[in-house]
Amino acid sequence: QLVSGVDITSFWISTYVWDMILYCILIVLVMIVFMLFGRESTTRVFVGDSDTALVTFLLMLSYGFSSLPFAYIFSRYFVNHSTAQISILGLLFLTGFVAVTIQFILSNIESTEYIADGL
């Protein structure tokens, strides 16, 4: 950004807008796949009716709105871009998938429901 002479604020805003455009295209493609396989019981949870589909879309959109600035901020702490990408991807995977799975498992076991409620 400093080589091209662009203002740093303009650089980060345009980068964020571009990344969100790409992310929205990805969300639309995911929603199309969900709707194509919507008759299956596993995807009916995500697009069973219009309200459920809207909530799924908004949930994925809000995840993008929050995870992109998170990735931008934490990427400043790395010198190597490959290390930054892998580390941030791993952290987002842990918080977005593993933590949710653990909470789901704990909430379905009677003796550990109180732990899940605390999370």
Side-chain angles (χ1 to χ4, degrees):
Q1 72 240 20
L2 298 177
V3 175
S4 63
V6 176
D7 180 52
I8 196 160
T9 305
S10 300
F11 173 79
W12 283 111
I13 289 173
S14 63
T15 301
Y16 182 74
V17 168
W18 177 251
D19 286 344
M20 279 308 298
I21 289 170
L22 293 177
Y23 186 73
C24 286
I25 292 170
L26 178 66
I27 291 174
V28 168
L29 293 174
V30 168
M31 292 300 291
I32 289 171
V33 169
F34 280 166
M35 288 179 190
L36 287 174
F37 295 99
R39 293 185 180 97
E40 301 293 326
S41 63
T42 54
T43 57
R44 192 173 301 141
V45 173
F46 302 112
V47 291
D49 56 17
S50 61
D51 289 339
T52 308
L54 178 64
V55 169
T56 301
F57 178 80
L58 292 175
L59 183 66
M60 287 192 285
L61 188 66
S62 63
Y63 180 78
F65 278 133
S66 64
S67 65
L68 281 175
F70 176 80
Y72 294 161
I73 290 169
F74 276 96
S75 69
R76 306 289 291 160
Y77 294 107
F78 294 93
V79 176
N80 186 348
H81 69 279
S82 298
T83 306
Q85 183 176 8
I86 292 170
S87 299
I88 293 168
L89 181 66
L91 186 61
L92 290 174
F93 176 75
L94 283 174
T95 58
F97 179 73
V98 174
V100 172
T101 304
I102 289 171
Q103 196 275 339
F104 177 75
I105 291 170
L106 289 175
S107 65
N108 286 318
I109 300 173
E110 223 174 279
S111 61
T112 59
E113 282 181 350
Y114 71 95
I115 298 172
D117 292 338
L119 296 176

